Every structure is written in structure tokens, then in C-alpha cells.
Amino acid sequence: MSWGTELWDQFDNLEKHTQWGIEFVEKYNKFVKERSEIEINYAKQIRNLSKKYQPKKNSREEEESKYTFCRAFFTTLNELNDYAGQHEVIAENLTSQIFIELTRYLQELKAERKTHFHDGRKAQQYIESSWKQLESCKRRFERDCKEADRAQQYFEKMDADINVTKADVEKRGLNKARQQAQMRHQMASDSKGDYSSYLQKFNQEQNDHYHTIIPNIFQKLQDMEEKRIERVGACMKTFAEVDRQVLPIVGKCLDGMTTAAESIEPKTDSQQVVESFKSGFEPPSDVEFEDYGQAMKRTVSENSLSNSKESKEKPAGKSKPKLWPFIKNKNKLSLKLGSGPEDFSHLPPEQRRKKLQGKIDDLNKDIHKEMDQRDALTKMKDVYIKNPQMGDPASVDPRLTEIGQNIEKLQAEVQKFEGWLAEVEERMPSKSDSHRRSGLYEPQSSVAVSNNCAQDRESPDGSYTEEQNTETQVKANINPNPNPNPNPIPTTMPDDEEFDDDDEPLATIGTCKALYPFEGHNEGTIAVAEGELLYVIEEDKGDGWTRVRRNQDEEGYVPTSYIEVNLEPNAKDS
């Protein structure tokens, strides 16, 4: 159906409808813009989330990368970052393909609509002006007819009076009345002609207005409206296609996450725990019975490397105080600060062997790099010798000399670490040994057996608290500590933290509030103020001390009676 024929009299309604259509396009364009902003913000949040959980550049990252579930998580983060990039593509395409195009089209649409309705109003004004002129001609014709009729009646009245003499006719203006009547009739006749002519002209203009001019204008408006609707439909289709275009890449990202999840191997990860924390020590043998009914010294085990020395008898009832919390914290701090000995002698044999082997591998890689540089410079020098115009061969010699010195230093380092590695492998205990090894394979201070009661020998979590025995002295003679401690104190770490060389802090298991101030003068403790809130990272194991943290770098032990502890539910359950 055509607007020109069906809606010829709905000019005002069409004007309102087309204006509403433009407003709808503006609303849809605003919707697309807001959707684009949402995609941008979503992509930004996804990228920030991925960045937040990316591994930090420290030694912990190397440890985590050994486990398949950690590698799968890192892969998921990378895929998630690519996934965020696809949402940025969606936002970019929505802006360029819809929002910008619709903004430009809206300007053109408004200008076109304004032109069409301007022509329509002009045509209406013209036909209304013609109608007013027609009405004016009609009223003039009507007035002239009435005046002519009155003049004719007056003349006839005077002419019909039989009592009027000729002198009276002349006197009373009978001839003038006749002339006036004739003039009025002529004017009415002229007005009739003008009215008839203008009426014919108006009818023609009105016919053109309602059958040609207005239909043409309305047809243009109809075409404009249909194009607008078609354009909106195309934008809606593009709106969906923009998402569809990134689905293949999004699918690849999701496939990458799925593949990473399927690559997780629980048995491999559990075996890696063994590789990471295996100390190389053998479980301790049975503790020998000591008869205090006789004045005798404790005999040394046959397998002990200290059997060549006599054990020194310790006074009964004397034992060192429980210092294991402070010693543990000292070892943790020394590992964090990287102050361990160069030969990794602070580690158990198996872990020491792995560290030494890794150090040797790194040095060999450096040697290969230096050799590659030396070979490249040697070839360059040969080229300079054959073609002096390309460069001076002597200019390469200083660098070759420097590289040669670097290689010699690295090779000396390799020999040093290989010597330590050979020593460790020679001393590694075999699995066939059934007796407890001597202090040679213990940490820097070996575990001693006390002459006192059993409960004084061990701290609540299994750490020894007595002085070193003769085995420690044997170890000190065989493998002396380069930095001996003038006041030896036990350094055995409790439980699974004994040889923990991890840089990462312990996980938080709760919070606590200091009830009293504690100065924390002893090593391993931390000073707290009354009312201070701290994180609990290790609860009291029966010795009266709780391990707390103020921040990532400040942690230590405080008396349990000085604080009010609130453990997390999962920590309590465990």
C-alpha cells in the first residue's frame, strides 16, 4: 500500500511517526554503545583477573611449574587472557560496524526527513492560499450580485410609478438609476467570470496537490521509512554476527582450557612431592635402653661414625630449654635471605644433591653460551683477516680474552660443584641400611638423645631440644661448617617444615588480637602492641607459642597466653 493514496490526509500523523522512527534508531544506537562499553569493561576485568593470578617472578614459580595442576592453571590464565581479547574485538566491531555507521546514518535521515516535510508544508501552504483566494473571489461575486439586484429593483420601482411625470423622471434621476443598475449587472458579470476562472484553476491545483504532489512526498517518506527499518534490521544482524565471528577463537580458548585440565596427572604430581621433599635420610632405629641403675655411659651405635670417639656424659636432669620455635624461624629467615652456604650443606642429602645438580646444569648452560660467543667472534676475526676492509682483526681480541677468562671461571665453578656433588652421592644412604645413620647425614646440628626423661627430649611437634651429642662432633670433624656457631643450639626443623626452603609464606589459618604488649627480644619472636590485630599462620602445638604474621616480611612467635586466637573453620576441622 502507498502512503500517498491511503494516507493523503494524515500529514501530521506521518510527521509524528517518522519522528518516532528516528528516536527508535537513536535508542538502538545508544543500546549498542552501552553493550560495547560493557564488553570493554568485562574484558578489562578478565585481564586484571588473569594478571592477578599469574605466577610471580620468584623461586616459588619454578617450584609450582613442576606440578601438572599448576601448569594447567597457568595455561587457563593465558587462555582466559586471550578470551578477554575476543571481547575487546566484539566491542571494537560493535563500535565501528554499528555505532559509528548508525550515527552517520541518523544525521542523513534527519536531513532527508526535514526536506520532505518542508516540501509537504510548502505544498499545503500553497493550496491553502489558493483556497483563500477562491473564497475571496466567491464573496466578491456574491456581493456584486446582491448590489446589482438591489440596483435593478430600485430602477424597476421608479419606472413602474405611473404618477411620475417626465419632469419628475428627470428630476428624480430615473436615468441615473438605470445606469447604476446596468453598471452593477456588469460588475456582477465580471465577478462571475473571475470566480469561475479561479474556481477552475483551484480545482486543478487541488487535484494536483492531492493526487500528485502530496503522494510523491509521502512516497519518498515511505521509502525513507522502509530504508530506516531495513537499516535497523541489518544492524541487528551485524550485532549477532559480531559475536558469531569470535566464537571459533573463543572455542579454541575453551578447548585450550579443557586440554590443560585433561593434562593434569594426579600420580605424577604426587610423585613430584616425593622428588621435591625427599631428604635422603633413613627412618630412625629403635632407641636403646639406658640403665640408670648402673654408673655407665651410653654406648655408641655400631653404625655411628663417632664410634672412634668416647661419648661425653651429660649431667642428669639438665637439658637445654625449648628453643625450637626460634631456631625454626632463624632457618626460615636465612633461607629467605639467601644466606645459606654455597654448597647447600644446610639441606638434607637428597635435596642438596638436586640443588647441586641444578647449579651444575645452569653453569654448563652459561659455558655453552660463552663458547657460542667465542666461536662467533673467532669466525668474525677470520673474516676480518681475509677481508681487512671489513674490520680490524685485533679489535676482537679483547673480547675473546674476556670470554676465555669467563669460561675458565665457569669451568672452575663446575668442578667445585661437581666435587660437592660427588661427595654427596658417595655419602647418600642406601636403601638396604636397616640401622640409623650417624650425624654425617644430619642437618648442620644433629639430633641428640638426652640422658633425661623422654618428654624433655622432644618438643610438642617432634623437634629435639637438647645439646648435641658425640655424633654431632664427628660430623663437625668430617664436614666442618664454614661459619661455626660459637653457641651451638639445635636447628632441627619440626615436622614437614624441617627442610623447607620455600620462599612463599605460610598460609593464614586465622586471626588474633594481642591482649597484652610483648617486646619480643629473643630471636624468632615478634614484638606486638596491646590490641594489635595479626594473622595466625601456625597454632600452638603445646609449647605455649603461636606463630603470627604482621605482613609478608614480619612474622614470628608470641606467647599464646598473650593473644586471643580466632581460627578459621576449615583450620579447626583440619
Side-chain angles (χ1 to χ4, degrees):
M1 295 183 181
S2 174
W3 287 9
T5 57
E6 303 295 334
L7 302 177
W8 60 271
D9 58 344
Q10 299 298 320
F11 185 89
D12 293 338
N13 288 332
L14 288 180
E15 186 176 17
K16 294 178 181 178
H17 176 78
T18 53
Q19 178 61 31
W20 172 79
I22 291 177
E23 292 173 355
F24 178 84
V25 176
E26 291 176 338
K27 180 173 69 175
Y28 181 77
N29 204 31
K30 183 179 179 182
F31 159 76
V32 173
K33 180 182 179 182
E34 292 181 359
R35 163 72 192 282
S36 177
E37 292 173 351
I38 289 174
E39 293 291 341
I40 287 290
N41 293 332
Y42 179 67
K44 182 178 180 180
Q45 292 176 0
I46 291 293
R47 286 194 184 278
N48 290 339
L49 179 65
S50 176
K51 182 179 179 181
K52 177 181 178 181
Y53 287 93
Q54 286 287 349
K56 302 299 185 295
K57 299 298 182 181
N58 51 31
S59 59
R60 184 65 177 174
E61 176 186 2
E62 181 180 354
E63 293 296 326
E64 291 180 349
S65 62
K66 296 179 181 179
Y67 298 96
T68 59
F69 65 89
C70 288
R71 293 198 298 268
F73 179 60
F74 297 155
T75 302
T76 300
L77 292 178
N78 293 331
E79 296 292 349
L80 192 64
N81 194 57
D82 296 339
Y83 177 79
Q86 297 310 305
H87 284 276
E88 292 175 347
V89 172
I90 291 176
E92 181 180 351
N93 290 340
L94 287 176
T95 301
S96 62
Q97 298 181 20
I98 299 180
F99 179 75
I100 295 178
E101 294 297 326
L102 272 185
T103 301
R104 184 184 303 112
Y105 174 71
L106 275 169
Q107 295 177 352
E108 298 174 356
L109 184 64
K110 291 178 180 179
E112 182 181 0
R113 175 182 175 277
K114 182 178 180 180
T115 300
H116 294 329
F117 279 102
H118 178 267
D119 294 341
R121 289 191 187 90
K122 186 176 180 180
Q124 278 192 328
Q125 291 174 357
Y126 181 78
I127 198 67
E128 289 175 357
S129 176
S130 297
W131 171 257
K132 291 179 180 179
Q133 291 182 3
L134 177 63
E135 287 293 318
S136 177
C137 291
K138 180 180 177 181
R139 287 195 296 271
R140 185 170 63 252
F141 171 60
E142 181 182 9
R143 184 179 64 252
D144 290 344
C145 288
K146 290 180 178 180
E147 291 293 334
D149 187 54
R150 283 198 296 269
Q152 182 64 29
Q153 290 178 1
Y154 179 73
F155 170 74
E156 290 177 354
K157 181 178 179 182
M158 291 185 65
D159 187 49
D161 190 359
I162 57 174
N163 297 320
V164 177
T165 61
K166 186 176 181 180
D168 293 334
V169 170
E170 293 295 338
K171 184 179 179 180
R172 298 176 61 178
L174 184 59
N175 292 333
K176 185 177 180 180
R178 182 185 298 110
Q179 293 176 356
Q180 185 68 24
Q182 291 176 352
M183 183 185 66
R184 292 294 180 184
H185 277 290
Q186 185 62 40
M187 291 177 62
S189 178
D190 294 340
S191 298
K192 180 179 180 182
D194 293 341
Y195 171 65
S196 177
S197 175
Y198 203 85
L199 178 62
Q200 184 178 1
K201 178 183 177 184
F202 174 78
N203 288 334
Q204 181 63 38
E205 291 175 348
Q206 181 176 254
N207 183 72
D208 293 341
H209 177 79
Y210 289 109
H211 292 85
T212 303
I213 299 175
I214 291 299
N216 289 338
I217 295 174
F218 283 7
Q219 184 62 44
K220 292 178 181 179
L221 289 172
Q222 184 177 0
D223 295 341
M224 179 194 72
E225 181 70 6
E226 291 174 355
K227 289 180 181 179
R228 179 192 66 81
I229 298 173
E230 182 180 3
R231 188 64 172 268
V232 171
C235 290
M236 291 182 178
K237 183 178 180 181
T238 304
F239 185 86
E241 289 297 327
V242 165
D243 275 50
R244 195 189 308 277
Q245 289 171 1
V246 302
L247 287 181
I249 302 180
V250 171
K252 289 182 180 179
C253 294
L254 298 178
D255 291 342
M257 296 180 189
T258 303
T259 303
E262 293 173 350
S263 67
I264 296 176
E265 299 178 358
K267 292 187 178 298
T268 302
D269 288 344
S270 63
Q271 184 62 31
Q272 183 59 45
V273 176
V274 177
E275 296 294 329
S276 298
F277 301 109
K278 181 180 178 181
S279 66
F281 295 126
E282 293 295 326
S285 60
D286 295 339
V287 179
E288 297 179 1
F289 174 76
E290 301 183 28
D291 190 356
Y292 288 93
Q294 299 179 6
M296 58 179 295
K297 299 179 180 179
R298 182 187 175 195
T299 60
V300 182
S301 174
E302 291 180 357
N303 291 337
S304 176
L305 294 179
S306 62
N307 53 9
S308 61
K309 296 181 179 284
E310 293 183 358
S311 300
K312 294 183 179 179
E313 184 178 0
K314 295 167 56 177
K318 293 183 178 180
S319 62
K320 293 185 74 66
K322 297 179 181 180
L323 299 177
W324 62 267
F326 313 138
I327 305 308
K328 175 171 65 173
N329 197 49
K330 178 181 179 181
N331 287 349
K332 289 287 289 183
L333 291 176
S334 66
L335 294 178
K336 288 183 178 181
L337 297 175
S339 59
E342 185 183 13
D343 61 351
F344 304 108
S345 58
H346 62 291
L347 297 177
E350 181 66 21
Q351 300 301 318
R352 184 185 179 194
R353 182 188 65 80
K354 292 179 180 179
K355 288 289 186 180
L356 290 172
Q357 186 62 54
K359 185 67 174 180
I360 292 173
D361 293 340
D362 292 340
L363 290 172
N364 285 328
K365 290 179 182 179
D366 294 338
I367 291 175
H368 284 300
K369 290 180 181 179
E370 294 292 337
M371 287 183 174
D372 291 340
Q373 292 185 22
R374 183 185 62 183
D375 295 340
L377 289 175
T378 302
K379 293 180 181 179
M380 182 185 297
K381 182 176 180 181
D382 293 340
V383 172
Y384 288 169
I385 293 174
K386 295 177 181 179
N387 302 283
Q389 68 276 9
M390 297 183 65
D392 183 11
S395 62
V396 185
D397 292 338
R399 180 58 180 160
L400 285 175
T401 302
E402 180 183 354
I403 292 177
Q405 294 174 353
N406 293 339
I407 292 176
E408 291 178 359
K409 292 179 182 178
L410 291 173
Q411 289 175 343
E413 287 289 315
V414 169
Q415 292 177 359
K416 180 174 65 175
F417 281 96
E418 285 179 345
W420 287 332
L421 179 61
E423 178 185 354
V424 173
E425 291 177 343
E426 180 181 354
R427 296 177 180 177
M428 286 288 291
S430 62
K431 295 183 179 179
S432 60
D433 292 341
S434 60
H435 297 287
R436 187 174 185 174
R437 290 288 180 179
S438 68
L440 177 63
Y441 301 115
E442 297 288 341
Q444 293 178 348
S445 297
S446 63
V447 177
V449 179
S450 173
N451 289 332
N452 205 339
C453 54
Q455 64 266 26
D456 290 336
R457 180 178 61 83
E458 214 173 79
S459 65
D461 64 344
S463 299
Y464 294 96
T465 59
E466 287 197 351
E467 293 180 343
Q468 297 169 319
N469 62 0
T470 310
E471 292 180 351
T472 306
Q473 299 174 2
V474 174
K475 177 194 172 186
N477 293 331
I478 297 176
N479 187 18
N481 190 342
N483 296 312
N485 190 343
N487 297 317
I489 54 177
T491 57
T492 304
M493 304 291 286
D495 291 338
D496 59 342
E497 294 181 359
E498 184 172 352
F499 302 106
D500 187 7
D501 59 348
D502 195 354
D503 287 348
E504 283 295 314
L506 295 176
T508 301
I509 61 174
T511 58
C512 67
K513 179 180 179 180
L515 302 177
Y516 313 101
F518 178 66
E519 297 181 358
H521 292 304
N522 294 327
E523 184 176 10
T525 61
I526 182 173
V528 297
E530 181 179 354
E532 184 178 4
L533 296 178
L534 303 165
Y535 294 103
V536 178
I537 58 177
E538 185 175 288
E539 60 180 320
D540 186 355
K541 296 184 178 180
D543 62 335
W545 295 93
T546 299
R547 193 174 181 182
V548 299
R549 177 187 297 141
R550 178 174 289 111
N551 51 46
Q552 292 295 332
D553 298 325
E554 295 185 54
E555 62 181 46
Y557 289 88
V558 296
T560 306
S561 59
Y562 277 54
I563 58 175
E564 179 182 355
V565 179
N566 294 314
L567 296 179
E568 297 178 355
N570 55 353
K572 294 180 181 179
D573 296 340
S574 61

